[in-house]
Amino acid sequence: MKKFYITTPLYYVNDKPHIGHAYTTILADVIARYKKMFNEKVFFLTGTDEHGQKVQEAADKLNTNAKQHVDKFHKNYIELWNKLNIDYDKFIRTTDQSHQSKVKIMLQNFWDKGEIYLSEYEGLYSVSEERFITEKEYSEGNFRQVTKIKEKNYFFRMSKYQSRLIEYIKQNPNFIMPDTRKNEILGFLRKPLADLCISRPKSRLKWGIEIPFDENYVTYVWFDALLNYITAIDWNQKEKNFNYWWPADYHLIGKDIITTHAVYWITMLMAAKLPLPKHILAHGWWLMENEKISKSVGNVVNPIDLIDYFGEDALRYFLMREMTLGQDSSFSFELFKKRFNDDLANDLGNVLNRVTILIRKFCKNKVPSITNTDDTDKDMIDKIKSLHKVATRHIEKLNISQLIDDVMSVVRDVNKYLEIKQPWKTLKVDQSNYDGLNTLSISAEAIAQATKILYPVIPGKSTSILSILGLNSKDFNNFEFGFLVNNNISKHGPLFPRIEND
Ligand code: MSP
């Protein structure tokens, strides 16, 4: 069995999650579910980033201490993942004892091997980014809360790995995806790479993992958080488990954290002499009226509200269908409503209703058998049979949006097929008319197979549709054609009631 290890970023617990955060985790969940569908053994990791200045400031604002703050706020993510039907294997918190102790082990190893040194540094520090920035970066104006700081700190010899990193990226064209991000990193690496400051003096920040060889410092939050990808799978604890899962197949991230992953993390792994992840995939941003959705802009869309009104599958469907990997996408309630009504209510919901009503009316509730098919039937059958291959091809490239589009086009074809065949007319005259019976059976089969392929995207609604068609979960992975014949169809209400204008 092939193994597949996929990760999301660890979310800062400085506020409530918004749909940008929900997107990455849904994407990871959808990919993980497809991989399981293809019989791969999957480990899906997500969690929360609980140290550092941002979290400390959020706690200060709420007049609470950092520990109490993270113990309370990380639950927002767990609650959201439950509501979104996210089937993760592990939720790591960077305040977990086992994570903290392994970060200390890594720091000690680096110190012992001379990968870390102490040095005085004077420079510009961006509080919002939690890192030292160059004069040039400052002049470009992308950083907030910049102050001048002079202090002694510990540095990781990141510069040592610059040429190896460039070489690796060039030799492995799919390592950083998409190409725009790869080129951005190669551009960044054209300038000399500085060493990375990996400590913060306790006089400035107490909320972090103490540096094991100097009690006056805590660890820089990114050095701590990035290590989660290996601490979560038992690095330095259960080597068998670690060696089985590592390296990760995909680190899914947003484009704003590509440098920390493609440069900091990869050079850390090089220094630790560990294998490198197979792919780092950076997606675009969710925008609202052309601005990134974010807490600081103040335009957040709360996913819980959308789930409470429209259900988790409506949100999963929208986010997966609407974003082309690598590009930015816009969110608006109008778009959300349109996508739901057009695709789920009008196409999928409508065709399901038509077919189940006709099977109830003309076939005593049973899916009829298929005999003497004509060319139109055969065309439809070919489309149904191609669905699994289409899914496999798109998943290889993680092209979820295109996959959904192709499946929905088959669903729309069923509506057209019904219009051509008009089984309600032939069966009204003769209930044993094989052409009418074939049409209903093949249409039901098309809906079932399309729904099975959509299962990773809309698991809840897919389960309902497949159970209406007389299938239970052990059949969801069976793509044999004609599997539905003789199944009893259950009565059901509308699965995707249209969202009306209010
Ligand atoms: N804690 C770090 C990641 C550490 S990973 C070891 C962090 N956290 S974050 O909460 O600020 O962001 C988490 C993820 O959410 C990032 O991948 C970021 O790109 C993503 N998004 C935040 N706002 C977003 C949008 N508006 N749209 C899409 N994703 C965005 O960075």
Side-chain angles (χ1 to χ4, degrees):
M1 228 181 179
K2 222 171 139 191
K3 73 91 192 170
F4 185 78
Y5 176 29
I6 188 164
T7 67
T8 73
L10 296 193
Y11 303 95
Y12 283 130
V13 281
N14 52 354
D15 209 356
K16 288 192 182 141
H18 59 64
I19 61 163
H21 305 127
Y23 172 76
T24 325
T25 305
I26 296 172
L27 179 64
D29 185 56
V30 169
I31 296 168
R33 285 174 186 266
Y34 275 113
K35 291 289 173 179
K36 284 184 208 160
M37 180 188 270
F38 301 147
N39 288 322
E40 294 186 22
K41 203 168 170 205
V42 172
F43 193 81
F44 167 15
L45 173 70
T46 188
T48 39
D49 192 349
E50 304 194 353
H51 290 125
Q53 204 155 312
K54 280 187 188 176
V55 175
Q56 178 66 65
E57 279 169 5
D60 290 348
K61 243 188 208 162
L62 294 169
N63 268 331
T64 175
N65 73 43
K67 173 80 175 108
Q68 274 167 355
H69 174 80
V70 297
D71 283 348
K72 184 171 166 208
F73 270 69
H74 84 279
K75 290 186 189 144
N76 289 331
Y77 285 90
I78 293 183
E79 183 202 2
L80 179 59
W81 303 158
N82 287 342
K83 281 202 163 213
L84 278 169
N85 205 353
I86 304 293
D87 191 16
Y88 56 81
D89 293 291
K90 181 165 177 151
F91 187 101
I92 188 169
R93 301 177 59 195
T94 53
T95 52
D96 288 343
Q97 273 316 315
S98 73
H99 171 77
Q100 299 203 47
S101 62
K102 287 173 202 156
V103 170
K104 287 185 179 172
I105 291 171
M106 189 59 95
L107 284 162
Q108 189 66 51
N109 287 350
F110 275 26
W111 179 245
D112 294 344
K113 289 192 301 181
E115 295 286 351
I116 289 174
Y117 61 91
L118 182 65
S119 172
E120 175 124 285
Y121 185 83
E122 184 172 6
L124 298 170
Y125 186 79
S126 159
V127 178
S128 61
E129 287 290 307
E130 295 192 56
R131 70 173 176 92
F132 287 101
I133 58 170
T134 60
E135 291 283 350
K136 184 162 182 292
E137 282 178 316
Y138 181 59
S139 65
E140 284 162 1
N142 292 326
F143 295 91
R144 288 173 293 118
Q145 298 171 274
V146 177
T147 52
K148 210 167 197 163
I149 285 180
K150 182 180 177 183
E151 64 192 18
K152 271 195 165 173
N153 264 311
Y154 288 94
F155 289 82
F156 160 51
R157 296 190 193 279
M158 191 160 74
S159 58
K160 202 167 115 183
Y161 298 97
Q162 176 163 12
S163 49
R164 220 178 116 192
L165 178 59
I166 296 172
E167 210 41 41
Y168 189 83
I169 297 171
K170 286 187 176 160
Q171 277 174 9
N172 295 276
N174 293 325
F175 176 51
I176 301 174
M177 295 160 68
D179 278 354
T180 42
R181 299 294 150 228
K182 177 175 70 183
N183 295 334
E184 179 186 320
I185 291 298
L186 286 172
F188 173 79
L189 288 170
R190 253 177 241 130
K191 290 169 276 175
L193 188 62
D195 288 342
L196 181 67
C197 176
I198 52 110
S199 64
R200 297 291 180 265
K202 279 192 184 164
S203 54
R204 193 149 62 78
L205 177 72
K206 288 193 180 59
W207 184 236
I209 300 175
E210 191 177 285
I211 298 274
F213 41 87
D214 191 336
E215 61 182 20
N216 296 314
Y217 290 86
V218 294
T219 311
Y220 171 44
V221 65
W222 275 100
F223 191 93
D224 152 7
L226 287 163
L227 283 168
N228 92 89
Y229 300 132
I230 61 170
T231 64
I233 49 166
D234 300 334
W235 171 76
N236 214 268
Q237 184 186 355
K238 291 187 198 141
E239 286 307 295
K240 205 168 155 212
N241 198 40
F242 175 65
N243 290 331
Y244 180 77
W245 291 111
W246 192 255
D249 292 83
Y250 276 95
H251 288 318
L252 299 189
I253 56 168
K255 64 180 181 181
D256 49 331
I257 55 173
I258 183 75
T259 312
T260 48
H261 281 78
V263 181
Y264 300 4
W265 177 225
I266 301 307
T267 53
M268 282 164 69
L269 286 167
M270 286 174 170
K273 297 197 167 38
L274 287 171
L276 306 182
K278 291 183 193 152
H279 307 281
I280 298 174
L281 189 136
H283 61 73
W285 283 339
W286 281 95
L287 312 173
M288 202 135 137
E289 286 161 4
N290 290 325
E291 278 216 76
K292 182 189 177 196
I293 292 181
S294 82
K295 185 190 156 214
S296 46
V297 178
N299 59 352
V300 297
V301 180
N302 182 350
I304 302 267
D305 292 344
L306 289 170
I307 298 167
D308 288 347
Y309 279 115
F310 309 113
E312 78 282 3
D313 282 338
L315 180 58
R316 291 174 65 108
Y317 185 86
F318 175 82
L319 295 179
M320 291 301 107
R321 173 64 188 82
E322 213 57 32
M323 185 173 264
T324 306
L325 222 58
Q327 293 168 19
D328 291 345
S329 272
S330 284
F331 180 87
S332 77
F333 292 102
E334 273 318 303
L335 269 176
F336 184 87
K337 208 184 297 180
K338 184 166 168 24
R339 194 46 92 185
F340 182 91
N341 286 343
D342 287 357
D343 291 14
L344 297 176
N346 289 2
D347 292 338
L348 184 57
N350 182 27
V351 81
L352 175 75
N353 271 347
R354 287 179 91 178
V355 172
T356 57
I357 287 170
L358 290 169
I359 291 181
R360 267 209 301 281
K361 187 163 172 191
F362 294 112
C363 317
K364 300 196 185 74
N365 246 355
K366 249 190 179 110
V367 179
S369 37
I370 302 168
T371 45
N372 296 330
T373 48
D374 65 14
D375 284 350
T376 318
D377 299 324
K378 284 189 182 120
D379 258 10
M380 196 63 233
I381 294 173
D382 284 346
K383 281 181 190 152
I384 299 170
K385 286 186 174 167
S386 72
L387 274 171
H388 192 265
K389 271 199 209 99
V390 169
T392 318
R393 184 160 44 83
H394 285 314
I395 287 302
E396 252 163 47
K397 296 191 175 133
L398 302 193
N399 222 336
I400 311 287
S401 166
Q402 192 57 49
L403 189 165
I404 297 175
D405 198 30
D406 285 353
V407 177
M408 291 313 285
S409 132
V410 173
V411 169
R412 280 189 293 276
D413 286 342
V414 181
N415 263 327
K416 286 184 211 144
Y417 171 62
L418 287 167
E419 286 309 316
I420 295 168
K421 290 279 192 162
Q422 307 210 333
W424 50 92
K425 283 194 181 155
T426 47
L427 291 171
K428 198 168 176 189
V429 178
D430 170 12
Q431 293 221 353
S432 60
N433 176 287
Y434 68 81
D435 188 61
L437 296 176
N438 281 350
T439 308
L440 293 187
S441 191
I442 293 168
S443 301
E445 191 72 41
I447 297 168
Q449 302 258 13
T451 305
K452 285 178 191 174
I453 298 284
L454 286 179
Y455 177 83
V457 182
I458 47 169
K461 289 292 182 191
S462 291
T463 304
S464 308
I465 295 174
L466 292 170
S467 90
I468 288 166
L469 297 174
L471 298 175
N472 59 41
S473 56
K474 72 174 175 19
D475 308 320
F476 289 6
N477 235 352
N478 188 332
F479 290 89
E480 196 186 317
F481 183 82
F483 195 70
L484 226 54
V485 171
N486 282 334
N487 269 15
N488 273 313
I489 303 295
S490 330
K491 246 188 149 151
H492 61 95
L495 278 178
F496 303 102
R498 278 181 68 83
I499 304 174
E500 301 298 345
N501 278 328
D502 46 22

